[in-house]
Amino acid sequence: MATIGLIIAGGSGARMHQDLPKQFLTVNEKPVIVYTLEAFQKHPEIDCISVVCIKGWENILWAYAKQFNITKLKYVVSGGETGQESIRNGVFDLEKHFKPDDIVLIHDAIRPMVSADIISDCIVKTRQYGNAITVISCAEAMMQTEDGTISVGSYPRNRLKRTQTPQGFTIGKICSLHRKAIEKGIVNSVASCTLMIELGEQVHFSAGSEKNIKLTTVEDLDIFKALLLAKRSEWLKN
């Protein structure tokens, strides 16, 4: 059974307000996407990497893969107009090369701090349950609002999970879901896990981390730089 890392790098990163797509911004002389690719390259259970790449950047991506020795990168697919379309392009391409029961871990290119433990747990849970959504607990008080400015209610945080990536599936299942979405006119689901829920499927959880941040704003880049420099104090327990 093969395990493939599908890295989604099809977005333009408008919220970052930079001239380059955020996945190609350089931090400490290395593009963000390379940190992400290295995490999957180094993981012993990842057999192959595919990237859904923003159109026009495919040759640059291949050049980075060669420069930074990302030897597991085998496929590069053009992104779509939405995140859902980009993921669909990626999984439909993998369907041509792999078996339906092979596993794909769908991961945001702009989550460069994904750890080996997170990848491993996602693989284990996907093999066990057929899918696995990386999550973390919700530590903050959660307020309900209708207009975004006031609240008259709260929601119990122990009933909430914050989703991350990777999100694992068998290739046959995720491709089937995307075909059902086309039939039902679902065109802009925000993530694979929400697509599952919208189509009446049950999702299972795997372990994430607060460090597995998504680089959406300039502030997130500052946090990423700090995490690269950080070293856990020896007296702290894991």
Side-chain angles (χ1 to χ4, degrees):
M1 181 184 293
T3 302
I4 304 101
L6 178 62
I7 310 303
I8 308 302
S12 60
R15 283 174 289 180
M16 191 76 78
H17 303 296
Q18 303 300 308
D19 295 330
L20 298 178
K22 54 193 171 183
Q23 59 270 33
F24 288 101
L25 291 174
T26 298
V27 176
N28 296 352
E29 300 183 352
K30 188 185 294 184
V32 165
I33 193 170
V34 172
Y35 289 95
T36 308
L37 291 170
E38 285 178 337
F40 286 82
Q41 172 73 28
K42 292 173 183 176
H43 197 285
E45 292 188 84
I46 296 296
D47 301 301
C48 167
I49 298 170
S50 175
V51 175
V52 179
C53 188
I54 187 169
K55 291 177 182 176
W57 288 79
E58 295 90 347
N59 289 339
I60 293 170
L61 176 65
W62 281 115
Y64 283 150
K66 185 176 181 180
Q67 180 182 353
F68 292 96
N69 202 32
I70 309 297
T71 58
K72 291 182 182 179
L73 179 64
K74 302 299 181 186
Y75 310 103
V76 175
V77 184
S78 293
E81 295 300 315
T82 65
Q84 182 180 326
E85 188 180 340
S86 288
I87 293 171
R88 185 172 70 229
N89 289 354
V91 297
F92 279 8
D93 183 70
L94 289 179
E95 192 178 37
K96 302 172 187 174
H97 309 289
F98 296 94
K99 298 174 183 176
D101 60 347
D102 288 334
I103 287 172
V104 55
L105 300 193
I106 301 169
H107 185 71
D108 299 322
I110 50 173
R111 287 191 188 271
M113 292 295 290
V114 62
S115 68
D117 286 344
I118 290 172
I119 294 171
S120 293
D121 197 52
C122 192
I123 293 171
V124 167
K125 295 298 196 310
T126 304
R127 286 176 179 163
Q128 188 172 0
Y129 299 113
N131 68 69
I133 309 303
T134 303
V135 301
I136 56 175
S137 297
C138 191
E140 300 84 4
M142 303 305 294
M143 307 304 291
Q144 295 172 321
T145 181
E146 296 295 328
D147 62 2
T149 58
I150 62 169
S151 175
V152 292
S154 62
Y155 195 87
R157 64 188 179 189
N158 64 326
R159 296 186 64 190
L160 295 170
K161 293 290 186 182
R162 292 160 56 196
T163 64
Q164 302 182 332
T165 63
Q167 300 186 2
F169 307 89
T170 61
I171 289 176
K173 182 65 175 180
I174 191 65
C175 288
S176 172
L177 283 168
H178 277 281
R179 289 191 175 94
K180 287 180 183 177
I182 292 169
E183 290 173 12
K184 291 181 177 291
I186 300 170
V187 296
N188 199 17
S189 196
V190 296
S192 298
C193 57
T194 59
L195 186 65
M196 287 275 286
I197 298 298
E198 288 175 61
L199 291 168
E201 299 281 345
Q202 187 178 66
V203 299
H204 298 266
F205 297 148
S206 61
S209 167
E210 291 281 0
K211 289 183 178 179
N212 185 24
I213 61 169
K214 187 176 183 180
L215 305 185
T216 304
T217 67
V218 174
E219 287 80 6
D220 295 329
L221 273 179
D222 294 335
I223 295 168
F224 175 45
K225 291 174 184 177
L227 286 170
L228 288 174
L229 293 172
K231 185 179 180 182
R232 182 177 293 172
S233 299
E234 291 179 4
W235 57 269
L236 285 172
K237 296 178 181 179
N238 288 323

PDB file of all heavy atoms in Angstrom, residues 123-139:
ATOM      1  N   ILE A 123      -1.361   8.893   9.177  1.00  0.00           N
ATOM      2  CA  ILE A 123      -1.267   7.648   8.402  1.00  0.00           C
ATOM      3  C   ILE A 123      -1.905   6.492   9.172  1.00  0.00           C
ATOM      4  O   ILE A 123      -2.703   5.722   8.624  1.00  0.00           O
ATOM      5  CB  ILE A 123       0.208   7.328   8.065  1.00  0.00           C
ATOM      6  CG1 ILE A 123       0.783   8.368   7.097  1.00  0.00           C
ATOM      7  CG2 ILE A 123       0.325   5.919   7.472  1.00  0.00           C
ATOM      8  CD1 ILE A 123       2.291   8.254   6.896  1.00  0.00           C
ATOM      9  N   VAL A 124      -1.570   6.373  10.455  1.00  0.00           N
ATOM     10  CA  VAL A 124      -2.107   5.282  11.286  1.00  0.00           C
ATOM     11  C   VAL A 124      -3.628   5.337  11.340  1.00  0.00           C
ATOM     12  O   VAL A 124      -4.317   4.328  11.134  1.00  0.00           O
ATOM     13  CB  VAL A 124      -1.520   5.351  12.713  1.00  0.00           C
ATOM     14  CG1 VAL A 124      -2.295   4.435  13.663  1.00  0.00           C
ATOM     15  CG2 VAL A 124      -0.052   4.976  12.711  1.00  0.00           C
ATOM     16  N   LYS A 125      -4.183   6.519  11.601  1.00  0.00           N
ATOM     17  CA  LYS A 125      -5.632   6.655  11.731  1.00  0.00           C
ATOM     18  C   LYS A 125      -6.331   6.434  10.380  1.00  0.00           C
ATOM     19  O   LYS A 125      -7.422   5.875  10.330  1.00  0.00           O
ATOM     20  CB  LYS A 125      -5.980   8.034  12.288  1.00  0.00           C
ATOM     21  CG  LYS A 125      -5.490   8.291  13.709  1.00  0.00           C
ATOM     22  CD  LYS A 125      -6.095   7.355  14.718  1.00  0.00           C
ATOM     23  CE  LYS A 125      -5.920   7.837  16.155  1.00  0.00           C
ATOM     24  NZ  LYS A 125      -4.569   8.226  16.534  1.00  0.00           N
ATOM     25  N   THR A 126      -5.702   6.879   9.293  1.00  0.00           N
ATOM     26  CA  THR A 126      -6.302   6.662   7.972  1.00  0.00           C
ATOM     27  C   THR A 126      -6.358   5.177   7.652  1.00  0.00           C
ATOM     28  O   THR A 126      -7.364   4.675   7.133  1.00  0.00           O
ATOM     29  CB  THR A 126      -5.525   7.422   6.879  1.00  0.00           C
ATOM     30  OG1 THR A 126      -5.470   8.813   7.207  1.00  0.00           O
ATOM     31  CG2 THR A 126      -6.200   7.267   5.529  1.00  0.00           C
ATOM     32  N   ARG A 127      -5.290   4.458   7.964  1.00  0.00           N
ATOM     33  CA  ARG A 127      -5.289   3.012   7.746  1.00  0.00           C
ATOM     34  C   ARG A 127      -6.345   2.321   8.609  1.00  0.00           C
ATOM     35  O   ARG A 127      -6.960   1.344   8.197  1.00  0.00           O
ATOM     36  CB  ARG A 127      -3.900   2.442   8.048  1.00  0.00           C
ATOM     37  CG  ARG A 127      -2.864   2.773   6.980  1.00  0.00           C
ATOM     38  CD  ARG A 127      -1.490   2.278   7.367  1.00  0.00           C
ATOM     39  NE  ARG A 127      -0.502   2.579   6.326  1.00  0.00           N
ATOM     40  CZ  ARG A 127       0.814   2.566   6.512  1.00  0.00           C
ATOM     41  NH1 ARG A 127       1.295   2.276   7.721  1.00  0.00           N
ATOM     42  NH2 ARG A 127       1.640   2.849   5.526  1.00  0.00           N
ATOM     43  N   GLN A 128      -6.546   2.846   9.804  1.00  0.00           N
ATOM     44  CA  GLN A 128      -7.477   2.233  10.753  1.00  0.00           C
ATOM     45  C   GLN A 128      -8.936   2.524  10.412  1.00  0.00           C
ATOM     46  O   GLN A 128      -9.790   1.646  10.476  1.00  0.00           O
ATOM     47  CB  GLN A 128      -7.157   2.738  12.164  1.00  0.00           C
ATOM     48  CG  GLN A 128      -7.924   2.041  13.274  1.00  0.00           C
ATOM     49  CD  GLN A 128      -7.427   2.451  14.657  1.00  0.00           C
ATOM     50  OE1 GLN A 128      -6.506   3.249  14.794  1.00  0.00           O
ATOM     51  NE2 GLN A 128      -8.044   1.898  15.680  1.00  0.00           N
ATOM     52  N   TYR A 129      -9.226   3.780  10.020  1.00  0.00           N
ATOM     53  CA  TYR A 129     -10.615   4.216   9.873  1.00  0.00           C
ATOM     54  C   TYR A 129     -11.021   4.592   8.444  1.00  0.00           C
ATOM     55  O   TYR A 129     -12.189   4.832   8.186  1.00  0.00           O
ATOM     56  CB  TYR A 129     -10.879   5.420  10.786  1.00  0.00           C
ATOM     57  CG  TYR A 129     -10.669   5.137  12.248  1.00  0.00           C
ATOM     58  CD1 TYR A 129      -9.627   5.750  12.944  1.00  0.00           C
ATOM     59  CD2 TYR A 129     -11.500   4.266  12.946  1.00  0.00           C
ATOM     60  CE1 TYR A 129      -9.431   5.499  14.299  1.00  0.00           C
ATOM     61  CE2 TYR A 129     -11.318   4.007  14.297  1.00  0.00           C
ATOM     62  CZ  TYR A 129     -10.274   4.629  14.968  1.00  0.00           C
ATOM     63  OH  TYR A 129     -10.085   4.373  16.295  1.00  0.00           O
ATOM     64  N   GLY A 130     -10.045   4.721   7.549  1.00  0.00           N
ATOM     65  CA  GLY A 130     -10.371   5.112   6.177  1.00  0.00           C
ATOM     66  C   GLY A 130     -10.223   6.586   5.903  1.00  0.00           C
ATOM     67  O   GLY A 130     -10.154   7.014   4.756  1.00  0.00           O
ATOM     68  N   ASN A 131     -10.182   7.391   6.967  1.00  0.00           N
ATOM     69  CA  ASN A 131      -9.872   8.821   6.831  1.00  0.00           C
ATOM     70  C   ASN A 131      -9.343   9.326   8.154  1.00  0.00           C
ATOM     71  O   ASN A 131      -9.548   8.691   9.194  1.00  0.00           O
ATOM     72  CB  ASN A 131     -11.090   9.632   6.371  1.00  0.00           C
ATOM     73  CG  ASN A 131     -12.192   9.694   7.409  1.00  0.00           C
ATOM     74  OD1 ASN A 131     -12.061  10.321   8.457  1.00  0.00           O
ATOM     75  ND2 ASN A 131     -13.320   9.046   7.116  1.00  0.00           N
ATOM     76  N   ALA A 132      -8.643  10.452   8.129  1.00  0.00           N
ATOM     77  CA  ALA A 132      -8.117  11.051   9.352  1.00  0.00           C
ATOM     78  C   ALA A 132      -7.927  12.550   9.137  1.00  0.00           C
ATOM     79  O   ALA A 132      -7.276  12.962   8.177  1.00  0.00           O
ATOM     80  CB  ALA A 132      -6.792  10.410   9.754  1.00  0.00           C
ATOM     81  N   ILE A 133      -8.519  13.337  10.034  1.00  0.00           N
ATOM     82  CA  ILE A 133      -8.419  14.786   9.976  1.00  0.00           C
ATOM     83  C   ILE A 133      -7.566  15.248  11.145  1.00  0.00           C
ATOM     84  O   ILE A 133      -7.905  14.996  12.309  1.00  0.00           O
ATOM     85  CB  ILE A 133      -9.816  15.439  10.057  1.00  0.00           C
ATOM     86  CG1 ILE A 133     -10.779  14.814   9.028  1.00  0.00           C
ATOM     87  CG2 ILE A 133      -9.700  16.954   9.882  1.00  0.00           C
ATOM     88  CD1 ILE A 133     -10.324  14.870   7.599  1.00  0.00           C
ATOM     89  N   THR A 134      -6.458  15.911  10.871  1.00  0.00           N
ATOM     90  CA  THR A 134      -5.587  16.417  11.919  1.00  0.00           C
ATOM     91  C   THR A 134      -6.295  17.552  12.654  1.00  0.00           C
ATOM     92  O   THR A 134      -6.767  18.508  12.040  1.00  0.00           O
ATOM     93  CB  THR A 134      -4.268  16.932  11.322  1.00  0.00           C
ATOM     94  OG1 THR A 134      -3.635  15.868  10.591  1.00  0.00           O
ATOM     95  CG2 THR A 134      -3.316  17.410  12.407  1.00  0.00           C
ATOM     96  N   VAL A 135      -6.382  17.435  13.984  1.00  0.00           N
ATOM     97  CA  VAL A 135      -7.088  18.445  14.780  1.00  0.00           C
ATOM     98  C   VAL A 135      -6.315  18.769  16.042  1.00  0.00           C
ATOM     99  O   VAL A 135      -5.465  18.000  16.491  1.00  0.00           O
ATOM    100  CB  VAL A 135      -8.512  17.986  15.172  1.00  0.00           C
ATOM    101  CG1 VAL A 135      -9.370  17.690  13.948  1.00  0.00           C
ATOM    102  CG2 VAL A 135      -8.477  16.775  16.108  1.00  0.00           C
ATOM    103  N   ILE A 136      -6.665  19.918  16.636  1.00  0.00           N
ATOM    104  CA  ILE A 136      -6.211  20.274  17.974  1.00  0.00           C
ATOM    105  C   ILE A 136      -7.422  20.732  18.783  1.00  0.00           C
ATOM    106  O   ILE A 136      -8.448  21.128  18.224  1.00  0.00           O
ATOM    107  CB  ILE A 136      -5.119  21.371  17.964  1.00  0.00           C
ATOM    108  CG1 ILE A 136      -5.603  22.619  17.229  1.00  0.00           C
ATOM    109  CG2 ILE A 136      -3.822  20.837  17.376  1.00  0.00           C
ATOM    110  CD1 ILE A 136      -4.612  23.784  17.294  1.00  0.00           C
ATOM    111  N   SER A 137      -7.269  20.669  20.098  1.00  0.00           N
ATOM    112  CA  SER A 137      -8.348  21.104  20.974  1.00  0.00           C
ATOM    113  C   SER A 137      -8.512  22.611  20.914  1.00  0.00           C
ATOM    114  O   SER A 137      -7.586  23.342  20.557  1.00  0.00           O
ATOM    115  CB  SER A 137      -8.059  20.673  22.417  1.00  0.00           C
ATOM    116  OG  SER A 137      -8.028  19.264  22.506  1.00  0.00           O
ATOM    117  N   CYS A 138      -9.698  23.048  21.273  1.00  0.00           N
ATOM    118  CA  CYS A 138     -10.001  24.475  21.279  1.00  0.00           C
ATOM    119  C   CYS A 138      -9.801  24.997  22.703  1.00  0.00           C
ATOM    120  O   CYS A 138     -10.540  24.621  23.617  1.00  0.00           O
ATOM    121  CB  CYS A 138     -11.444  24.683  20.824  1.00  0.00           C
ATOM    122  SG  CYS A 138     -11.839  26.379  20.491  1.00  0.00           S
ATOM    123  N   ALA A 139      -8.784  25.834  22.905  1.00  0.00           N
ATOM    124  CA  ALA A 139      -8.441  26.307  24.249  1.00  0.00           C
ATOM    125  C   ALA A 139      -9.174  27.587  24.639  1.00  0.00           C
ATOM    126  O   ALA A 139      -9.323  27.886  25.821  1.00  0.00           O
ATOM    127  CB  ALA A 139      -6.927  26.536  24.332  1.00  0.00           C
TER     128      ALA A 139
END
